[in-house]
Amino acid sequence: MACSWSLFSVPPPLLDLSISSRSTSHGRYWFTHSRKGTRRSARIVVNATENNNQDEDAQGFNPFGFVTDNPSSRSAIQLPEVPAEDGNVGQMLYRIEDKGREYGSYVDIGDLRWFLRETGSPETRRGTIVFLHGAPTQSYSYRVVMSQMSDSGFHCLAPDWIGFGFSDKPQPGYDFDYTEKEFHEEFNKLLDVLGVKSPFYLVVQGFLVGSYGLTWALKNQSKISKLAILNSPLTVSSPIPGLFQKLRIPLYGEFTSQNAIEAERFIEAGSPYVLKNEKADVYRLPYLSSSGPGFALLEAARKINFRDISSQIAAGFASERWDKPILLAWGMSDKYLPQSVAEEFQKGNPVNIKLKLIEGAGHMPQEDWPEKVVEALRFFF
């Protein structure tokens, strides 16, 4: 299997990293390093309180290292000294390439192939829910919510946006250019091919393509029965995470986009929890498989105007323009978007927007605490 990935230098004290596989009582770890001539495993930290001293000693941001506040993402990927020793990237991909496709199948629409998750039956009387993810993640985050909502009688659909997850990642300029207009056009085609009947329920979460899900809703209000919004930038005061700012810097952005663990680091940085290895595997997999997801994210991040999109969303869902019910289910421990963003957004349309605070959940409540999200959605829908 061909794979594309980058060579990174590693901050002290880790030296001479090489990729390997180890199975222990704590799970599988892929990284080993040599230090003072002694070879030993470098375990990915799974306890948020572990290595606190290392966190406190980290000074600034090293663009060529993996110093991070996210405990499970401290290890770097480097070329092994001997490619066949202990397993290489190809073998690593083989071990995990079948993960993360729960309820999934592929749908060809023109020259593009979407990966789509589906639970429940289209014939259900309770209606269809379409779940849209944000960047740099994928529809995998909705797997538990979808399963439980279909158990309650709903038909659930969750695509990976083009350029993300397991969907196609076309080269910019060839069939797809990662603009808001093109994301909207391709999403319309997907709904048509799937035969989704209007009005349907829509659930949206996250940055960039998540925001495009909301601007699509503003242009297609008649197709939506009710809208649920999980943590997303909704006002001009919404902060822009450092990842998207770094992607805009020439050359530095190209380097950042090829960080194979960027998605899991982004998730953990916005959450009070650390991802389990089996979940991190799935979010990491597309970025390990090829350079395509990284460059798709890079292109989309450079095409979007975050402030303009947030302004459109704040104005578009205000009282005088939007009259459909909205549930704002907000993870209170979001480290990217403070609770004040949700409260400010609700004030723009207090009659139609109901705010449900989810204690203990961060930027992706569907991943952090899916049961609480399901409870809120069942009551709302």
Side-chain angles (χ1 to χ4, degrees):
M1 178 181 296
C3 60
S4 175
W5 44 286
S6 301
L7 181 65
F8 301 99
S9 62
V10 185
L14 302 184
L15 301 173
D16 302 323
L17 268 83
S18 61
I19 295 176
S20 68
S21 174
R22 290 287 185 271
S23 293
T24 74
S25 60
H26 299 290
R28 178 181 292 139
Y29 310 107
W30 294 339
F31 307 100
T32 68
H33 70 275
S34 300
R35 187 182 182 195
K36 296 182 180 180
T38 303
R39 188 174 182 84
R40 64 176 183 171
S41 294
R43 181 169 62 86
I44 299 176
V45 180
V46 296
N47 188 326
T49 62
E50 196 168 338
N51 279 3
N52 280 344
N53 292 335
Q54 292 185 19
D55 290 343
E56 293 172 358
D57 293 339
Q59 298 295 325
F61 177 78
N62 175 8
F64 299 103
F66 277 77
V67 176
T68 172
D69 290 334
N70 307 318
S72 74
S73 305
R74 291 183 176 279
S75 298
I77 299 175
Q78 287 200 329
L79 288 168
E81 295 177 2
V82 181
E85 184 178 274
D86 292 331
N88 56 28
V89 172
Q91 291 172 324
M92 180 168 64
L93 284 169
Y94 178 77
R95 289 195 298 270
I96 66 174
E97 63 184 355
D98 60 338
K99 289 186 177 181
R101 290 176 169 83
E102 288 89 341
Y103 322 118
S105 60
Y106 286 94
V107 179
D108 291 320
I109 302 177
D111 295 328
L112 297 176
R113 171 170 284 194
W114 290 73
F115 181 79
L116 177 76
R117 300 176 197 274
E118 181 174 15
T119 61
S121 169
E123 307 305 320
T124 178
R125 294 182 179 180
R126 300 209 65 179
T128 294
I129 309 173
V130 178
F131 296 85
L132 297 179
H133 69 86
T137 63
Q138 51 177 288
S139 63
Y140 175 74
S141 65
Y142 287 115
R143 65 200 179 281
V144 177
V145 173
M146 292 178 65
S147 175
Q148 295 188 15
M149 291 302 291
S150 63
D151 288 343
S152 296
F154 292 94
H155 176 222
C156 301
L157 298 169
D160 285 348
W161 284 105
I162 295 298
F164 295 84
F166 300 110
S167 289
D168 276 355
K169 294 96 179 167
Q171 183 178 348
Y174 294 86
D175 300 320
F176 196 77
D177 211 30
Y178 298 95
T179 63
E180 178 191 22
K181 180 175 181 290
E182 289 171 310
F183 278 114
H184 285 181
E185 289 174 348
E186 295 303 323
F187 182 57
N188 281 326
K189 293 177 185 177
L190 176 67
L191 294 177
D192 289 342
V193 169
L194 296 177
V196 177
K197 298 178 181 179
S198 298
F200 60 88
Y201 303 120
L202 181 65
V203 178
V204 179
Q205 185 273 329
F207 288 91
L208 211 160
V209 285
S211 295
Y212 288 162
L214 292 177
T215 57
W216 179 90
L218 290 174
K219 297 175 181 179
N220 295 273
Q221 188 172 168
S222 63
K223 295 182 179 180
I224 297 171
S225 175
K226 293 182 178 181
L227 171 64
I229 304 174
L230 311 183
N231 298 52
S232 304
L234 301 171
T235 66
V236 292
S237 63
S238 301
I240 302 174
L243 168 62
F244 301 116
Q245 298 179 41
K246 290 183 288 186
L247 288 169
R248 292 170 172 269
I249 303 174
L251 297 181
Y252 186 25
E254 279 75 4
F255 176 87
T256 300
S257 73
Q258 294 307 304
N259 183 339
I261 60 174
E262 196 65 70
E264 69 195 77
R265 290 173 67 184
F266 182 86
I267 294 169
E268 289 182 334
S271 168
Y273 310 109
V274 174
L275 282 174
K276 292 183 178 179
N277 283 346
E278 58 267 24
K279 297 178 182 179
D281 283 349
V282 179
Y283 289 110
R284 182 188 302 133
L285 180 56
Y287 296 89
L288 281 172
S289 301
S290 77
S291 62
F295 285 121
L297 174 63
L298 178 73
E299 193 71 17
R302 289 180 172 177
K303 293 286 175 64
I304 191 174
N305 183 324
F306 285 99
R307 298 299 183 192
D308 178 66
I309 292 294
S310 293
S311 178
Q312 289 183 43
I313 291 170
F317 288 105
S319 298
E320 63 274 13
R321 297 190 179 183
W322 185 272
D323 59 3
K324 300 290 183 67
I326 295 178
L327 170 67
L328 192 53
W330 200 265
M332 296 174 64
S333 299
D334 190 339
K335 298 178 183 178
Y336 295 127
L337 297 168
Q339 183 177 322
S340 59
V341 169
E343 293 170 343
E344 180 184 351
F345 182 71
Q346 185 193 28
K347 288 179 181 178
N349 193 341
V351 174
N352 293 301
I353 300 175
K354 304 302 179 184
L355 177 58
K356 170 67 175 179
L357 297 177
I358 303 179
E359 188 175 359
H363 180 63
M364 292 173 58
Q366 73 270 34
E367 181 69 78
D368 290 342
W369 215 311
E371 295 81 5
K372 290 188 177 181
V373 173
V374 168
E375 180 183 359
L377 294 180
R378 282 174 176 164
F379 183 81
F380 179 60
F381 292 150

